[in-house]
Amino acid sequence: MMGGRLEPLGDAALRIRLPQLADTAALRDALKAHPRVIDVVVTEHHALVTFDPENPPDGIDAVVDDSLTTPPRVRPPNTHIVQVRYDGSDLHEVARALGMTAKEVISLHSRPDYVVTAVGFLPGFAYLRGLDARLEIPRRPSPRPRVDALSVGIAGPYTGIYPFASPGGWSLVGTAAGFMPFEAQSGARLALGDRVRFVETER
């Protein structure tokens, strides 16, 4: 049973602590299917469920337990090939901080297949896991007031693409070319569980 995993946030939301390696996409879909749930936001470690306080959902604990104990869905993940110009304003600073050349940073960043483990911060901003541990670097001590749209950044164990111009504290290593993380008609391009591969380009 849920035990202390379920935590109320005010009178219109619940926060759910998730175990490691949970099938977050399946959990999100199961919670969204509840007729009294308004919205669900899932990250690696927590899920947030919002609802009308006048009509709160019942049986959320059972939905979560069923989802977490059901074997993960076997479905081929969507794979996105994203071309990147490695022209980020922090590329050489990152290389110096990590004791590498810029070419080594580019090679390590473009080598893995990344996995979308959360979508948030901005519409269409996907947190991508799989970054080589040798590239892990803290967030910048002072966020920039503006990061250009399509900038590719790294911070801690994550890399990601800024879908819009916005403030941001990640180190910028490149720019995505020909890829839109968010579109008005279809929403976020990257979904939980999707795979992303970066390919260096000069264009």
Side-chain angles (χ1 to χ4, degrees):
M1 294 299 292
M2 291 292 293
R5 193 183 296 161
L6 195 67
E7 177 186 357
L9 293 179
D11 60 356
L14 296 170
R15 184 171 66 174
I16 303 163
R17 289 187 295 106
L18 304 179
Q20 288 187 337
L21 304 179
D23 186 349
T24 51
L27 176 62
R28 177 203 58 202
D29 293 346
L31 289 170
K32 282 191 170 184
H34 194 293
R36 299 183 191 174
V37 167
I38 295 175
D39 197 12
V40 179
V41 177
V42 177
T43 68
E44 284 185 90
H45 306 296
H46 295 90
L48 177 70
V49 178
T50 60
F51 51 85
D52 182 348
E54 299 297 325
N55 191 25
D58 53 8
I60 289 294
D61 53 349
V63 171
V64 174
D65 281 340
D66 287 347
S67 176
L68 294 180
T69 55
T70 299
R73 295 172 300 177
V74 178
R75 66 169 180 85
N78 293 322
T79 298
H80 306 265
I81 307 299
V82 180
Q83 295 186 333
V84 177
R85 294 193 310 272
Y86 283 95
D87 57 0
S89 56
D90 299 320
L91 176 62
H92 294 282
E93 180 182 335
V94 167
R96 285 193 297 270
L98 297 176
M100 301 179 184
T101 66
K103 287 186 177 180
E104 288 172 324
V105 171
I106 294 168
S107 176
L108 290 174
H109 186 265
S110 59
R111 188 175 299 169
D113 286 345
Y114 295 95
V115 180
V116 178
T117 57
V119 180
F121 166 58
L122 293 169
F125 187 99
Y127 290 79
L128 305 178
R129 277 274 197 181
L131 185 69
D132 191 296
R134 288 170 288 181
L135 291 182
E136 291 188 13
I137 192 168
R139 287 170 53 90
R140 295 176 60 84
S142 298
R144 290 183 171 90
R146 177 186 168 90
V147 172
D148 288 341
L150 303 184
S151 294
V152 177
I154 58 175
Y158 300 102
T159 187
I161 306 168
Y162 284 81
F164 309 105
S166 73
W170 291 22
S171 293
L172 308 179
V173 297
T175 307
F179 181 82
M180 294 301 297
F182 185 87
E183 297 177 350
Q185 299 300 320
S186 55
R189 182 87 172 271
L190 301 176
L192 290 173
D194 281 4
R195 304 301 196 258
V196 177
R197 186 176 306 146
F198 294 123
V199 176
E200 183 181 7
T201 183
E202 297 298 328
R203 71 181 180 88

